[in-house]
Amino acid sequence: LQVLDEGLAFADAQGVPPGSLLRVSLLRNKGEALGHNGDFAAAEASIRQAIALQEQAVGSRGTTTSLLYGALGTALHNLGRYR
């Protein structure tokens, strides 16, 4: 998690645009790491942020978007928020 936070801070310091796919990747990995550590609420927030950036950048289609929604589903399942 520390490395991912440092990566996001580096992206901020270097002026990487908010809609950059690099940020999407960092946020997705952070969300998955948070989930593996049991912090499912924080994982959900990070993954939702990644989804928003991904959809702004390239739309709602594609394999990366699918992977993000899969990660979100896992986080929601672990929170007991499933149907």
Side-chain angles (χ1 to χ4, degrees), residues 2 9 15 22-23 37 42-43 47-48 52 54 58 74-75 79 82:
Q2 180 181 348
L22 171 64
R23 287 186 190 276
N37 286 339
I47 294 166
R48 284 190 186 276
Q54 173 74 13
V58 298
T74 299
L79 287 167
Y82 51 88

Side-chain angles (χ1 to χ4, degrees), residues 1 27-28 36 55 68 80:
L1 284 172
L27 288 167
R28 174 184 163 215
H36 288 297
E55 289 183 344
L68 289 167

Side-chain angles (χ1 to χ4, degrees), residues 18-72:
S20 165
L21 297 180
L22 171 64
R23 287 186 190 276
V24 171
S25 179
L26 289 168
L27 288 167
R28 174 184 163 215
N29 289 331
K30 180 178 179 180
E32 290 179 347
L34 287 164
H36 288 297
N37 286 339
D39 192 351
F40 306 119
E44 176 191 2
S46 183
I47 294 166
R48 284 190 186 276
Q49 187 178 2
I51 289 170
L53 292 176
Q54 173 74 13
E55 289 183 344
Q56 287 174 357
V58 298
S60 62
R61 297 182 185 222
T63 56
T64 300
T65 306
S66 298
L67 292 170
L68 289 167
Y69 276 105
L72 177 61

